[in-house]
């Protein structure tokens, strides 16, 4: 896990590498729906929370932003500075 990364509500597979500055968003912005997320109530607001699902041996490049519900396959390499929706 790289320095300065935020990995919220995510599942990270064995032997995966998360380089510095990677952010997984874990709350969907208003109006966006993802079929496999169920909303939860937090402080009176309805939120759908889920980070990324990262397969084993994947590598996520530095300063990448990953949207909620993104699935990264086994052994996949994500280039630095990517935005995954």
């Amino acid at each position: 896990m790289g320095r300065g990364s935020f990995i919220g509500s995510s599942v990270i597979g064995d032997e995966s590498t998360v380089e510095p500055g990677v952010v997984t968003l874990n709350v969907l912005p208003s109006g966006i729906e993802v079929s496999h997320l169920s909303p939860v109530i937090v402080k009176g607001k309805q939120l759908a929370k889920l980070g990324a699902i990262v397969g084993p041996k994947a590598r996520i490049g530095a300063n990448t932003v990953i949207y909620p519900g993104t699935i990264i396959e086994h052994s996949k390499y994500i280039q630095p500075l990517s935005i995954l929706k």
Side-chain angles (χ1 to χ4, degrees):
M1 192 67 56
R3 181 175 183 229
S5 293
F6 173 77
I7 309 300
S9 306
S10 298
V11 178
I12 308 296
D14 290 339
E15 299 182 45
S16 291
T17 301
V18 178
E19 294 182 358
V22 172
V23 174
T24 61
L25 304 175
N26 63 350
V27 177
L28 288 171
S30 297
I32 296 177
E33 294 183 18
V34 175
S35 62
H36 55 281
L37 294 180
S38 297
V40 295
I41 305 297
V42 177
K43 296 183 181 179
K45 292 184 179 181
Q46 183 175 335
L47 303 173
K49 293 190 85 169
L50 174 67
I53 299 172
V54 179
K57 299 183 181 180
R59 183 177 191 96
I60 303 170
N63 300 310
T64 293
V65 176
I66 305 171
Y67 272 64
T70 299
I71 298 171
I72 298 172
E73 297 175 9
H74 177 279
S75 299
K76 180 85 175 180
Y77 174 66
I78 306 299
Q79 294 287 334
L81 302 171
S82 296
I83 297 175
L84 304 176
K85 292 186 178 184

